[in-house]
Amino acid sequence: DVKVTQSSRYLVKRTGEKVFLECVQDMDHENMFWYRQDPGLGLRLIYFSYDVKMKEKGDIPEGYSVSREKKERFSLILESASTNQTSMYLCASIPGVGRDAVKLFFGSGTQLSVL
Amino acid sequence: DAKTTQPPSMDCAEGRAANLPCNHSTISGNEYVYWYRQIHSQGPQYIIHGLKNNETNEMASLIITEDRKSSTLILPHATLRDTAVYYCIVRVPPDDYKLSFGAGTTVTVRA
């Protein structure tokens, strides 16, 4: 089975800190995504990457950046964390081709609290 | 991108069929309809997808209207473990890398 692993399940940070959220997938998928999820708002796309060193803005990229130096790893960076970035962050991957090219595989999420 | 509209919530009795509607009136000819669900404290899970024909797999059935402006996800025999938020999205695979989810439908299956 495809596994998408997010480095932390819960994270507490202070306002102004630089925060790194890490995501690793083990199935050689080309495409990776970062979403945030807030009550009543569903999942909102922050950034996605369709190849190493390639990235595209999603719907709400402000205040975030990403890094994809290796195919299996996609990092979300909060340069200066703010309280309005308190949220559940979900990473996902999907292959570019093949039978599973229609299925997003999600990690379990990181609940980030910014105090 | 085509937008989707789903009811915010619905209840279903255990053992009965659950019919989840989704409106996608602006869908274009090459966009597929996808359904995912998210059980509490877990990441979303793929359920099923289709273009224009009805589809069935081990989890659910997908009925798409002839004009493709709406669809219905059917859980044939709902169980308590089907309690989740269900998302309907449209996408053009594999070129549309941007996948956006709306608020979904919160389905509560009651014993």
Side-chain angles (χ1 to χ4, degrees):
Chain A
D1 281 352
V2 175
K3 195 165 185 182
V4 179
T5 304
Q6 295 185 229
S7 53
S8 304
R9 188 75 176 95
Y10 298 96
L11 210 53
V12 180
K13 296 292 181 180
R14 296 199 178 277
T15 303
E17 278 193 77
K18 190 169 186 176
V19 181
F20 293 86
L21 302 182
E22 305 287 346
C23 176
V24 177
Q25 49 93 2
D26 65 359
M27 283 300 292
D28 204 34
H29 287 175
E30 286 79 7
N31 309 302
M32 298 187 73
F33 304 77
W34 275 107
Y35 293 86
R36 65 175 282 177
Q37 184 171 32
D38 302 287
L41 296 177
L43 280 75
R44 292 181 291 168
L45 181 63
I46 304 172
Y47 267 98
F48 65 100
S49 168
Y50 52 90
D51 202 351
V52 175
K53 297 191 185 295
M54 306 300 287
K55 60 186 179 184
E56 294 280 348
K57 293 180 180 179
D59 298 319
I60 50 164
E62 296 79 18
Y64 303 93
S65 62
V66 290
S67 172
R68 186 133 182 238
E69 296 297 319
K70 293 184 178 181
K71 193 174 185 180
E72 68 270 18
R73 186 180 297 270
F74 192 34
S75 303
L76 180 69
I77 303 156
L78 287 67
E79 295 288 342
S80 178
S82 63
T83 54
N84 63 12
Q85 292 179 310
T86 290
S87 186
M88 170 68 80
Y89 290 88
L90 286 156
C91 175
S93 71
I94 191 169
V97 294
R99 186 168 174 267
D100 280 345
V102 296
K103 301 178 185 179
L104 272 172
F105 294 88
F106 281 85
S108 298
T110 295
Q111 179 62 53
L112 173 66
S113 297
V114 182
L115 306 178
Chain B
D1 292 346
K3 302 296 183 186
T4 62
T5 304
Q6 299 176 253
S9 64
M10 62 183 295
D11 285 359
C12 176
E14 189 178 21
R16 304 294 294 269
N19 297 300
L20 284 64
C22 179
N23 183 287
H24 31 79
S25 58
T26 61
I27 193 170
S28 60
N30 57 352
E31 286 184 306
Y32 284 67
V33 179
Y34 293 79
W35 283 84
Y36 285 78
R37 74 178 183 184
Q38 185 175 21
I39 296 170
H40 183 62
S41 299
Q42 298 181 22
Q45 174 193 25
Y46 165 87
I47 301 173
I48 199 168
H49 76 282
L51 181 62
K52 52 185 176 181
N53 296 325
N54 298 337
E55 303 287 345
T56 296
N57 63 20
E58 66 279 2
M59 292 182 69
S61 295
L62 174 61
I63 309 297
I64 302 174
T65 58
E66 192 168 342
D67 63 8
R68 303 209 325 120
K69 292 186 177 181
S70 66
S71 60
T72 301
L73 179 75
I74 301 172
L75 308 177
H77 304 287
T79 70
L80 298 179
R81 289 176 294 179
D82 292 322
T83 292
V85 179
Y86 287 77
Y87 298 99
C88 168
I89 63 174
V90 295
R91 172 179 176 242
V92 181
D95 298 327
D96 179 6
Y97 298 109
K98 180 178 172 180
L99 289 144
S100 296
F101 289 69
T105 297
T106 298
V107 173
T108 303
V109 181
R110 302 191 187 281

